[in-house]
Amino acid sequence: MKLTARRAFVTGADRGLGLGFARSLLKRGFTVYAGTYMDHWHEFELLKEEFPSGLVPVSLDVSSMDSVRAAFQTTADHTDSIDLLINNAGILTDDGDIRQGLDLSKAAAAFGVNSLGPMRMVQTFLPLMQSGMKRLCFVSSEAGSISVCMRDRGPFTYCMSKTALNMAVRMTADALMPRGFTFRLYHPGWLKTWMEGEKNLRATVEAEDSAEAGIDYFLKDLDVEARLEVVDNQGVVWPF
Amino acid sequence: MAILKSAYIGGIGPQALGGHGPGLVRRFLAEGWQVFAGYHPEAARDIKGAVSAGKDACTAFSIDHADTGAIRSAAAEIANTVSALDLFVYCCDAPYPEPLEDEGLWQYAATCYDHIALGALRSVETFLPLLDAGSLKRLCWLSPGNASIQSGLKGGGFGQNMAAAAVHNAGAILFNRLRPEGYTFRVLFDVPGCPAVSDAAYGYFLRDRSFEAGNRLHSDEDRFTAKDTLGREHPW
């Protein structure tokens, strides 16, 4: 039976910010298709137990077109329509210092996941988004802002991948805004996430708190939808 | 004419795809510079004329900018000729034509990113020792104006625009890292409709911005900015 409630797809929903997005949406009555990269994550299992009918795990590697297509098929088997697509999956890189020697071995992976992953998702999932909210959301970062770049030692390729994402979103918005799609670019703050392999306790923002703020932003209709901007977890607009 | 200074101009793509590298090489040669040109293989025909015009003052390398080893080989060869480079220019040119079918679009974007964005980074890293010994210590990018996210200029391909925008952020990080060491930076946007890109680029890349009008309170060299061929500043 096809579901009729409001529906969202969240990539990178295994843990951290993505898990927070999923939880926040479930609490608001959404059915959440949760793109998961890992086979098992304890907190995700707990969320499944808490929302057994509303949370639909979908195996997903956004760096692979085949995986994205398979995720689309799985989702399309459940529902005719997605209201909200949240592109959250991302990886962090550490390439070193230009004076000490750069290690660019993870640069392609960062671009493939952080920049192209969301584009693969949008391209593939558009057929499910021809009605409803038609809202495309992207987790960007202040790291992608050139105007307020404060870093002097990178990570080059993480920052570059987020700038490339912003550029791709702008071009996508140029193409899809006339068809009624709306866009959100979100900087979640400095998160206590697991992107570096272990939980970053030096950071300042809990993922759950940023996720709540993010979902508020994603769901809110704006007075001016034609303007693309990066908004952070405190509602501050960041320049590109 | 005596050789004045030496420049490395890399990332040169085919003129048919909007690349201004060959024109820039010709312009530097006409002003008496010694030019080392790193071009994508597809630009071989375009660069050939510039090389023959420059005679001994121009050495061109067909470089796979996705290959650090290829860039290092070119740098080693250049180091056998000169002990220093005064100017580094990277052209954010498309390496080859964008595929027409959707299937290849993201692969092409990845290739553009590797050649343009990472290629620029690899090149800066590789040429830094020669630039450290140079007199200008200046890093320049000739970039498509369509790659300004904020200005919203239409046009250009996904791959080239994403890669060029990424280069701008890399440039900002490099600015923060190398400006304290005395390096200066130039980004020139090739904005559709603005003429004489190579001439404008040559002029802007060599101009001292320290005392430009309107910058009396600070040196304009201490800002990482993008300008077009008409001298207008553009947002990122």
Side-chain angles (χ1 to χ4, degrees):
Chain A
M1 188 177 75
K2 301 266 182 176
L3 301 171
T4 54
R6 287 211 291 177
R7 292 137 297 201
F9 195 107
V10 181
T11 71
D14 315 72
R15 59 185 184 180
L17 186 64
L19 186 72
F21 285 147
R23 178 180 286 115
S24 179
L25 287 164
L26 287 163
K27 285 194 295 187
R28 299 174 199 228
F30 271 75
T31 297
V32 176
Y33 298 88
T36 56
Y37 180 73
M38 296 182 298
D39 290 334
H40 177 82
W41 188 257
H42 179 61
E43 291 177 46
F44 186 78
E45 299 303 323
L46 291 177
L47 193 63
K48 266 202 302 189
E49 288 175 19
E50 193 178 346
F51 297 94
S53 60
L55 183 64
V56 183
V58 181
S59 181
L60 175 63
D61 172 3
V62 298
S63 71
S64 159
M65 199 66 208
D66 288 343
S67 175
V68 171
R69 286 196 187 106
F72 170 80
Q73 197 52 57
T74 302
T75 309
D77 289 342
H78 281 79
T79 182
D80 295 328
S81 172
I82 292 289
D83 293 282
L84 196 66
L85 173 60
I86 301 178
N87 291 283
N88 163 74
I91 58 174
L92 193 60
T93 54
D94 181 8
D95 355 89
D97 175 45
I98 193 87
R99 286 292 189 189
Q100 308 298 324
L102 294 175
D103 173 10
L104 300 178
S105 58
K106 292 180 181 168
F111 184 72
V113 173
N114 299 350
S115 316
L116 292 183
M119 296 301 105
R120 291 188 190 94
M121 287 296 296
V122 170
Q123 182 187 39
T124 306
F125 276 73
L126 273 187
L128 286 178
M129 301 193 72
Q130 299 305 309
S131 60
M133 286 180 74
K134 301 177 82 167
R135 184 151 299 162
L136 299 168
C137 309
F138 304 84
V139 175
S140 186
S141 171
E142 55 77 26
S145 170
I146 305 161
S147 307
V148 291
C149 173
M150 294 168 286
R151 291 167 171 79
D152 63 1
R153 283 170 172 77
F156 279 99
T157 54
Y158 177 74
C159 300
M160 292 162 75
S161 72
K162 289 299 186 180
T163 308
L165 169 66
N166 292 345
M167 182 77 241
V169 172
R170 204 218 77 202
M171 294 184 78
T172 304
D174 287 345
L176 295 181
M177 274 181 177
R179 291 164 55 184
F181 285 86
T182 52
F183 289 77
R184 300 289 183 270
L185 272 166
Y186 183 58
H187 163 47
W190 191 21
L191 294 181
K192 296 180 179 179
T193 65
W194 297 81
M195 286 180 78
E196 293 170 76
E198 56 188 35
K199 190 165 181 179
N200 180 2
L201 298 176
R202 293 172 291 118
T204 54
V205 183
E206 289 289 351
E208 293 78 12
D209 296 335
S210 181
E212 282 296 328
I215 295 298
D216 285 345
Y217 172 54
F218 294 158
L219 296 181
K220 186 173 66 179
D221 290 330
L222 304 178
D223 292 337
V224 180
E225 287 287 2
R227 184 171 56 218
L228 187 68
E229 53 192 16
V230 180
V231 173
D232 74 10
N233 58 313
Q234 296 180 317
V236 175
V237 176
W238 288 73
F240 288 111
Chain B
M1 187 183 292
I3 296 292
L4 296 176
K5 295 181 183 301
S6 57
Y8 174 78
I9 302 176
I12 297 170
Q15 284 177 319
L17 302 180
H20 294 289
L24 198 57
V25 169
R26 281 194 194 89
R27 184 61 209 267
F28 271 87
L29 288 169
E31 299 292 336
W33 283 66
Q34 178 155 22
V35 177
F36 301 95
Y39 62 93
H40 298 296
E42 292 253 345
R45 188 183 299 173
D46 298 329
I47 205 73
K48 194 175 172 186
V51 172
S52 38
K55 297 179 181 164
D56 294 341
C58 185
T59 309
F61 303 88
S62 175
I63 294 180
D64 176 0
H65 291 81
D67 178 5
T68 304
I71 298 169
R72 285 182 181 155
S73 295
E77 204 168 318
I78 292 169
N80 287 333
T81 308
V82 294
S83 58
L85 283 172
D86 299 299
L87 190 71
F88 172 94
V89 179
Y90 202 87
C91 304
C92 300
D93 292 346
Y96 58 84
E98 189 166 1
L100 295 176
E101 75 281 8
D102 280 351
E103 287 290 315
L105 186 61
W106 306 130
Q107 181 53 48
Y108 178 74
T111 301
C112 276
Y113 186 75
D114 206 2
H115 284 258
I116 297 172
L118 300 180
L121 203 51
R122 291 184 188 101
S123 299
V124 170
E125 182 189 20
T126 303
F127 286 104
L128 264 186
L130 283 169
L131 290 160
D132 285 341
S135 60
L136 263 176
K137 299 176 89 172
R138 183 164 295 167
L139 304 178
C140 310
W141 284 269
L142 180 53
S143 190
N146 300 320
S148 162
I149 304 166
Q150 186 72 53
S151 67
L153 293 169
K154 303 289 192 292
F158 259 92
Q160 188 182 10
N161 285 356
M162 289 172 77
V167 163
H168 302 156
N169 201 359
I173 297 169
L174 289 168
F175 175 88
N176 292 340
R177 179 72 173 91
L178 298 175
R179 178 72 190 113
E181 297 181 14
Y183 275 84
T184 51
F185 293 75
R186 301 285 183 275
V187 179
L188 187 82
F189 276 175
D190 171 20
V191 173
C194 286
V197 174
S198 299
D199 290 341
Y202 177 81
Y204 182 54
F205 291 164
L206 293 180
R207 193 166 72 219
D208 184 351
R209 279 174 31 194
S210 301
F211 304 105
E212 286 189 357
N215 297 312
R216 291 178 191 148
L217 298 180
H218 60 85
S219 167
D220 201 43
E221 294 289 9
D222 291 331
R223 299 169 60 232
F224 185 66
T225 61
K227 295 197 175 179
D228 67 18
T229 57
L230 301 177
R232 300 173 300 191
E233 186 168 333
H234 284 247
W236 296 111

